[in-house]
Amino acid sequence: MRKILVVVDMQNDFIDGSLGTKEAQALVPRLAEYIRNWKGSVVLTQDTHRANYLDTLEGKKLPVKHCIYQSEGWQLNKEIADA
């Protein structure tokens, strides 16, 4: 059986951007170390929105622009990506 670690949405906007928190920032070094030591495959997801995000149903319920495709906030955190 193959081991897979799924890392969900560790993007700049969720860490230190528009929806970031101190808790998310504190998690990054520990998660990066965990990924480096993982004995199996690693899959990373990226939340992705378009420039019209605020006009979408989600954007109306959470009116904070985040993870706009190819923006700095959409990018994976560098320390996580490098791990």
Side-chain angles (χ1 to χ4, degrees):
M1 185 183 307
R2 200 166 117 193
K3 291 175 67 175
I4 300 173
L5 173 65
V6 179
V7 179
V8 178
D9 298 351
M10 289 302 292
Q11 295 160 267
N12 294 322
D13 273 346
F14 291 131
I15 296 169
D16 56 11
S18 59
L19 293 173
T21 65
K22 291 188 185 312
E23 293 84 2
Q25 292 170 32
L27 175 73
V28 169
R30 294 188 320 237
L31 179 57
E33 183 67 20
Y34 191 85
I35 292 168
R36 282 190 289 276
N37 292 317
W38 180 255
K39 305 291 188 234
S41 299
V42 178
V43 176
L44 297 112
T45 70
Q46 281 184 270
D47 190 31
T48 303
H49 299 290
R50 301 289 176 189
N52 70 338
Y53 170 75
L54 293 178
D55 296 326
T56 68
L57 181 60
E58 179 183 338
K60 290 178 185 347
K61 294 184 182 290
L62 177 63
V64 177
K65 275 191 163 184
H66 65 282
C67 299
I68 304 301
Y69 181 64
Q70 293 194 343
S71 69
E72 180 65 26
W74 175 77
Q75 301 295 322
L76 290 170
N77 171 271
K78 181 168 178 24
E79 190 172 351
I80 298 298
D82 288 349

